[in-house]
C-alpha cells in the first residue's frame, strides 16, 4: 500500500494540514498511522466526513433514524433482512448488491465442554443475523449495526491490531484473520440487523460468519466449511480475547433442519442425526431474561482456566506427560484418573471437572435418546445439564437461575437450560407445542413476579430448527 503525507492529503482533499492532523489524532482517517513524528495516510483513504457539513448531518440523521439509544432494548422479531436493506438504501441512496444470513444456535447438551475437546450437540434456529452490503473498491470497511449507535470504519489492509472495545471488534478480528489467509483488496459498506435480543444465542459468532460471508463474496474467496469456522474462531480467541471453542461456529455452519448435530471436538468429526419419525412434536422456546451480557466481561475465561488447571493437575498426580498449560485439555485425562485423584483437587477445580465428565456422558446418552425418538429422555438430560451448569460449572445470574427453576416446574417443557455462557442472556427449552400458550403465560407470570423491574425487557420467542449458513 502507498502512503501520502498530511501535506499531500491537504491538497487532495482541500482541507488544512492542521485539520487533517486533528482528524488523524481522532482516528477519523481510515488507515492513518504515525511513523516517528509524521502521520502517514493511505493514498486511497476516503475523505472523512466533516461534522460541520450538511452532508454529515444528513447522513447521521438517516443512520440514527434506524437506531434506538442503547438504554432501550432493540431487536427485530421478524423482517430483519428487509430492515437492513431499507436502512442501507436510506443511508447510501442505492440498493445493496447482496444480502447474507447466519442463524443463531442452541446447544441442548455439551455445554462448557468444547474448549476442552468434549462432545457437543446443537441446532441452528430460524432467527439470526442479516447483512445488506455492497463493495467498496478502495478497501474500506464501513459498517453499521441497527442494534448499536456507532458506525465503524477501517481498511482491510490497516485494521487496528488491538481491539477498540466496541461492537465491531469481532469484525475487525475477522478481517485480520481472513487477510492472513487470503489477501483482501475489496472492502464493503454494510448494514446489519439481528433478530431476537442479544445474549446467549451466539450472536457474536453469527455476526462474524455473516460478515465473513459478505467479505469473501466480494473478494472472490471460497472458504471451506472448516476454514470458515476456524477463521471465525480466531477472531474471537485472538482478537476479542474469549477462550471459547468451536461449538457456536460449528452449529451455525453444519446444522441441518430437523437434524441433531453431534460433534466430537477432538477430531472435528460430526454426524447429522435425523429426527426419528416416531418422535413427539417439539419446538424451541427462547426465554430472554432481559439482562444482556458481554462474554469477555463475564467469568467465562476464568471457568475455562479452572477446568484446564484441573486437567493439568490430574496429569501431574497420575504421572502423565504434560506440556504447555494452554495446550492441556480435559479430554486428555481418562475418567478413571479423575475418579482416583479428584479429592486432591481444589473444590472449584473439582466441580469444573465433574461438570465436564458428566456432560460428556450426557451427550452420549442424549444422542441415543434422540435416535430412539425419546424426546422426554432427551429433555430430562437437558434439565440435568442445566443443574450441573448451576452447581458444578457455577454459572447463572439470579435471573437465569429463576428462569431455569420455572421451566422445570412447567408442564409441556421437555427440557431446558441456560443458553450460551450462562451468566446473563437467555434460557432455551424444548417444548410440546400443544402447551405453547400455557407455557408462555406461566413462565412470564412467574418470572416477572420474581423480577417485576424487568417488565418490558423480558421476552419469549418460539423458534424452529434450521439449516446452517449457506456458503457462496
Amino acid at each position: 500500500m502507498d502512503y501520502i503525507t498530511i501535506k499531500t492529503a491537504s491538497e487532495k482533499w482541500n482541507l488544512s494540514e492542521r485539520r487533517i492532523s486533528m482528524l488523524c489524532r481522532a482516528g477519523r482517517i481510515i488507515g492513518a498511522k504515525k511513523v516517528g513524528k509524521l502521520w502517514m495516510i493511505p493514498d486511497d483513504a476516503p475523505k472523512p466526513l466533516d461534522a460541520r457539513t450538511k452532508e454529515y448531518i444528513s447522513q447521521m440523521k438517516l443512520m440514527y433514524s434506524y437506531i434506538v439509544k442503547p438504554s432501550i432494548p432493540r431487536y427485530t422479531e421478524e423482517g430483519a433482512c428487509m430492515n437492513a436493506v431499507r436502512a442501507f438504501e436510506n443511508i447510501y441512496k442505492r440498493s445493496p448488491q447482496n444480502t447474507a444470513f447466519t442463524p443463531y444456535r442452541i446447544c441442548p447438551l455439551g455445554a462448557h465442554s468444547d474448549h476442552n475437546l468434549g462432545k457437543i450437540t446443537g441446532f441452528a434456529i430460524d432467527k439470526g443475523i442479516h447483512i445488506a452490503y455492497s463493495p467498496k473498491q478502495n478497501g474500506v470497511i464501513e459498517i453499521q449495526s441497527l442494534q448499536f449507535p456507532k458506525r465503524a470504519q477501517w481498511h482491510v489492509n490497516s485494521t487496528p491490531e488491538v481491539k477498540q472495545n466496541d461492537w465491531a471488534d469481532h469484525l475487525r478480528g475477522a478481517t485480520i484473520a481472513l487477510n492472513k489467509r487470503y489477501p483482501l483488496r475489496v472492502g464493503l459498506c454494510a448494514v446489519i440487523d439481528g433478530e431476537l435480543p442479544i445474549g446467549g444465542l451466539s450472536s457474536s459468532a453469527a455476526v462474524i460468519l455473516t460478515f465473513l460471508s459478505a467479505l469473501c463474496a466480494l473478494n472472490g474467496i471460497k472458504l471451506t466449511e472448516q476454514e470458515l469456522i476456524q477463521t471465525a474462531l480466531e477472531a474471537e480467541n485472538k482478537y476479542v480475547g474469549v477462550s471459547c471453542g468451536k461449538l457456536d461456529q460449528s452449529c451455525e455452519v453444519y446444522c441441518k433442519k430437523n437434524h441433531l448435530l453431534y460433534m466430537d471436538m477432538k477430531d472435528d468429526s460430526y454426524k447429522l442425526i435425523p429426527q426419528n419419525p416416531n418422535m413427539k412434536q417439539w419446538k424451541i422456546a427462547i426465554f430472554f431474561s432481559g439482562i444482556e451480557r458481554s462474554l469477555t466481561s463475564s467469568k467465562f475465561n476464568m471457568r475455562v482456566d479452572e477446568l484446564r488447571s484441573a486437567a493439568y493437575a490430574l496429569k501431574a498426580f497420575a504421572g502423565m506427560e504434560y506440556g504447555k498449560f494452554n495446550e492441556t485439555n480435559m479430554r486428555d485425562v481418562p475418567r478413571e484418573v479423575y475418579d482416583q485423584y479428584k479429592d486432591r483437587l481444589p473444590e472449584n477445580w473439582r466441580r469444573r471437572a465433574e461438570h465436564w465428565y458428566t456432560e460428556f456422558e450426557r451427550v452420549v446418552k442424549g444422542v441415543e435418546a434422540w435416535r430412539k425418538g425419546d424426546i422426554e429422555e432427551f429433555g430430562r438430560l437437558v434439565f440435568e445439564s442445566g443443574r450441573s451448569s448451576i452447581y458444578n460449572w457455577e454459572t447463572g445470574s439470579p435471573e437465569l437461575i429463576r428462569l431455569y427453576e420455572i421451566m422445570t416446574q412447567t408442564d409441556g417443557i421437555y427440557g431446558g437450560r441456560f443458553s450460551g455462557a450462562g451468566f446473563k442472556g437467555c434460557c432455551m427449552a424444548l417444548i410440546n407445542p400443544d402447551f405453547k400458550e400455557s407455557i408462555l403465560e406461566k413462565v412470564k407470570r412467574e418470572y416477572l413476579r420474581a423480577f417485576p423491574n424487568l417488565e418490558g425487557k423480558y421476552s419469549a420467542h418460539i423458534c424452529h430448527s434450521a439449516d446452517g449458513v449457506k456458503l457462496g
Side-chain angles (χ1 to χ4, degrees):
M1 178 187 295
D2 295 327
Y3 289 86
I4 58 177
T5 64
I6 283 179
K7 182 178 181 180
T8 304
S10 172
E11 296 169 353
K12 179 179 179 181
W13 292 334
N14 194 28
L15 296 173
S16 71
E17 293 182 26
R18 182 179 178 182
R19 175 73 176 157
I20 293 176
S21 180
M22 183 197 73
L23 292 170
C24 286
R25 291 194 300 271
R28 294 272 307 280
I29 298 180
I30 301 297
K33 61 182 181 180
K34 203 167 189 180
V35 180
K37 295 183 179 180
L38 298 176
W39 281 100
M40 303 302 293
I41 300 169
D43 64 353
D44 59 354
K47 180 179 179 179
L49 287 175
D50 189 332
R52 300 168 295 184
T53 64
K54 291 182 180 179
E55 180 188 6
Y56 178 88
I57 294 171
S58 174
Q59 190 174 74
M60 290 302 102
K61 283 181 178 179
L62 285 169
M63 288 169 59
Y64 280 92
S65 69
Y66 280 84
I67 300 163
V68 180
K69 294 180 180 178
S71 60
I72 303 172
R74 166 71 168 89
Y75 65 90
T76 301
E77 178 75 30
E78 300 283 352
C81 181
M82 287 309 302
N83 270 8
V85 169
R86 283 193 294 265
F88 186 100
E89 290 173 342
N90 275 278
I91 293 169
Y92 295 106
K93 305 303 181 186
R94 66 182 189 276
S95 296
Q97 184 180 96
N98 209 341
T99 62
F101 169 75
T102 300
Y104 298 138
R105 68 93 190 97
I106 60 168
C107 172
L109 294 168
H112 314 305
S113 62
D114 58 326
H115 40 65
N116 270 246
L117 305 184
K119 294 182 176 182
I120 63 99
T121 65
F123 298 108
I125 65 173
D126 57 347
K127 305 289 185 183
I129 297 290
H130 296 263
I131 187 172
Y133 66 93
S134 286
K136 286 183 75 71
Q137 299 298 334
N138 60 2
V140 170
I141 303 287
E142 181 178 284
I143 193 161
Q144 173 71 58
S145 168
L146 299 187
Q147 275 68 52
F148 300 96
K150 182 183 176 183
R151 182 183 62 174
Q153 286 185 328
W154 62 91
H155 194 280
V156 293
N157 290 317
S158 57
T159 307
E161 295 181 1
V162 295
K163 60 183 182 180
Q164 306 297 294
N165 298 311
D166 65 14
W167 70 272
D169 274 339
H170 293 82
L171 309 186
R172 294 186 186 95
T175 304
I176 291 173
L178 183 61
N179 209 13
K180 287 180 180 177
R181 293 166 169 80
Y182 300 94
L184 298 174
R185 300 184 309 278
V186 181
L188 57 77
C189 50
V191 176
I192 289 175
D193 194 21
E195 295 161 321
L196 307 191
I198 295 172
L201 299 172
S202 72
S203 56
S204 59
V207 76
I208 292 171
L209 292 170
T210 309
F211 173 77
L212 284 172
S213 297
L215 198 55
C216 285
L218 294 176
N219 282 275
I221 298 168
K222 294 188 179 297
L223 296 180
T224 65
E225 292 177 329
Q226 294 81 4
E227 283 181 309
L228 181 60
I229 291 168
Q230 193 58 45
T231 305
L233 180 66
E234 187 175 310
E236 294 217 56
N237 288 170
K238 295 186 178 180
Y239 193 86
V240 182
V242 180
S243 300
C244 60
K246 298 178 182 177
L247 184 156
D248 295 348
Q249 299 84 359
S250 299
C251 288
E252 292 169 352
V253 171
Y254 292 137
C255 277
K256 185 177 180 181
K257 184 177 181 179
N258 293 330
H259 289 65
L260 178 71
L261 174 68
Y262 175 38
M263 186 169 182
D264 189 335
M265 293 300 175
K266 186 174 183 179
D267 59 9
D268 290 342
S269 60
Y270 70 94
K271 296 178 181 178
L272 290 167
I273 306 172
Q275 179 178 322
N276 188 303
N278 298 318
M279 184 179 288
K280 290 183 177 179
Q281 287 188 331
W282 61 280
K283 289 185 179 180
I284 298 164
I286 304 297
F287 302 107
F288 182 65
S289 67
I291 307 293
E292 294 185 3
R293 65 97 174 95
S294 171
L295 199 57
T296 50
S297 64
S298 72
K299 297 179 180 178
F300 180 88
N301 288 351
M302 182 187 299
R303 297 293 187 273
V304 176
D305 286 344
E306 288 168 343
L307 178 64
R308 191 156 279 133
S309 296
Y312 206 71
L314 288 168
K315 283 186 172 184
F317 294 153
M320 296 173 63
E321 183 177 344
Y322 57 88
K324 295 179 181 179
F325 174 79
N326 61 1
E327 295 176 357
T328 299
N329 294 289
M330 192 57 75
R331 186 67 177 272
D332 304 331
V333 183
R335 175 65 190 256
E336 54 268 24
V337 170
Y338 167 67
D339 290 336
Q340 182 177 354
Y341 296 105
K342 63 183 178 182
D343 292 339
R344 295 174 63 178
L345 293 172
E347 178 62 15
N348 57 335
W349 295 9
R350 186 198 64 77
R351 288 190 179 194
R352 307 304 175 256
E354 181 72 16
H355 172 80
W356 193 92
Y357 284 109
T358 57
E359 190 72 358
F360 192 96
E361 293 163 358
R362 280 187 288 272
V363 169
V364 175
K365 292 176 182 177
V367 167
E368 185 60 27
W370 176 265
R371 283 196 173 104
K372 292 178 179 178
D374 191 347
I375 191 69
E376 286 98 344
E377 173 62 10
F378 187 85
R380 186 192 68 78
L381 290 164
V382 176
F383 271 143
E384 191 177 288
S385 173
R387 280 194 298 274
S388 182
S389 290
I390 294 171
Y391 296 110
N392 288 324
W393 198 254
E394 294 188 284
T395 62
S397 63
E399 294 86 358
L400 281 181
I401 292 173
R402 184 63 189 130
L403 265 178
Y404 170 80
E405 292 169 347
I406 295 168
M407 291 194 305
T408 64
Q409 301 161 6
T410 301
D411 291 340
I413 296 183
Y414 298 123
R417 53 160 296 112
F418 307 152
S419 187
F423 291 98
K424 297 180 186 176
C426 67
C427 287
M428 56 71 55
L430 303 178
I431 70 167
N432 183 333
D434 293 340
F435 291 78
K436 182 182 76 170
E437 297 304 326
S438 62
I439 289 170
L440 294 177
E441 190 277 328
K442 179 179 178 180
V443 174
K444 180 178 181 179
R445 182 183 71 246
E446 296 295 325
Y447 182 68
L448 293 180
R449 180 182 296 166
F451 300 100
N453 59 307
L454 293 175
E455 177 79 47
K457 295 182 180 179
Y458 163 84
S459 61
H461 313 268
I462 302 300
C463 306
H464 305 83
S465 70
D467 293 333
V469 67
K470 299 290 191 297
L471 294 180

